[in-house]
Structure formats: structure tokens, C-alpha cells
Amino acid sequence: MKYSRGKIHSHGFTLLELLVVMVIIGLLAGLVGPRYFKQVGKSQSKVAAAQIDALDKALIQFRLDTDRFPSTEEGLAALNEAPPDALNWAGPYLSKDVPNDPWGRPYIYQEPGEHSDFDLYTLGKDGRPGGSAENADITNW
């Protein structure tokens, strides 16, 4: 039998190699993770803006049919169920129930509005007036 010196065949990874790979993955996660979550916040704000736009259009269609906007008391539910005194109501004006904002809270609707015929908005991620970035209010005005 011949033994060859200097030829050692390794099958598998050493602990050091595994640690180096783990450190590299950790560094990448540390760099990419915050950017990813920042994009998630932006996308929730974009969803809220799109929903407000769709609700705004449905409210305008409601007004075209009934010659008025829903009252604050009737709220956005008037887009799916005819209010008792709404003549010429031709709804439902939404194909599904009125959605909550992306943070799980109902949209705020006021008629008459302080900024236009009606105000429709959400207070953003933090649920408080004002704010910036993903905490900013998203409105129809």
C-alpha cells in the first residue's frame, strides 16, 4: 500500500469558515434590513393614498347620484348601504366593504370638511396628527 503524503481531502466546512459566512450574512442583514423596512413603511403610505383616492371617487359618485355627500354620522358606510333619506342612491359604490387604513384603523370622514366639501384622511402609522415619513397624515386635500 502506498500512502501519499501531503494530500489530505477535506469533506465539509471548518468552524472558522462557518463563522466567517455567518458574519458576512449578519453584515448584509444589517445593511439591507433597515432599507427593506423603510420601503415597507413607504408602501403602506402609498396604499393609504390609493385607498383614499378610491374612496374620494366613490364619494363623488355618491354626490352625483344623490346631490349630497354622506353626512359625518352616515359616514363611509353610506357607500355600501343606502341611507334612509338618500334619493336616487345607485350604489353600492364600492365592490367590497370600506377598508381600514393599512395600520388597521378606520379612515376619518367629516362632512362638511375644514379643507374641502368633505375631509377624508388617516393619521399615519403613529395614529397622531402631524408627523413625517410613514407617520405623516394622508389626506384627500
Side-chain angles (χ1 to χ4, degrees), residues 13-83:
F13 298 102
T14 65
L15 181 59
L16 182 60
E17 290 170 330
L18 290 174
L19 288 174
V20 168
V21 169
M22 299 272 295
V23 167
I24 291 171
I25 290 172
L27 289 172
L28 288 174
L31 294 172
V32 174
R35 291 183 184 180
Y36 171 75
F37 289 113
K38 187 175 181 181
Q39 294 302 320
V40 169
K42 284 182 184 178
S43 67
Q44 288 177 321
S45 297
K46 288 179 183 178
V47 166
Q51 286 178 335
I52 285 176
D53 185 54
L55 291 169
D56 188 88
K57 288 177 175 142
L59 287 162
I60 290 170
Q61 186 62 47
F62 179 99
R63 181 178 176 268
L64 291 172
D65 291 344
T66 64
D67 292 328
R68 68 177 183 88
F69 287 110
S71 67
T72 301
E73 292 76 29
E74 293 168 337
L76 298 174
L79 297 173
N80 285 337
E81 294 180 25

Side-chain angles (χ1 to χ4, degrees), residues 52-129:
I52 285 176
D53 185 54
L55 291 169
D56 188 88
K57 288 177 175 142
L59 287 162
I60 290 170
Q61 186 62 47
F62 179 99
R63 181 178 176 268
L64 291 172
D65 291 344
T66 64
D67 292 328
R68 68 177 183 88
F69 287 110
S71 67
T72 301
E73 292 76 29
E74 293 168 337
L76 298 174
L79 297 173
N80 285 337
E81 294 180 25
D85 63 341
L87 302 175
N88 300 323
W89 187 86
Y93 298 96
L94 298 173
S95 60
K96 297 180 181 178
D97 289 338
V98 176
N100 284 335
D101 70 15
W103 302 280
R105 295 184 300 272
Y107 285 100
I108 301 165
Y109 172 76
Q110 295 174 332
E111 190 279 329
E114 295 177 20
H115 303 280
S116 61
D117 292 332
F118 64 90
D119 290 350
L120 178 62
Y121 60 99
T122 180
L123 298 175
K125 182 178 180 180
D126 64 357
R128 295 187 302 223

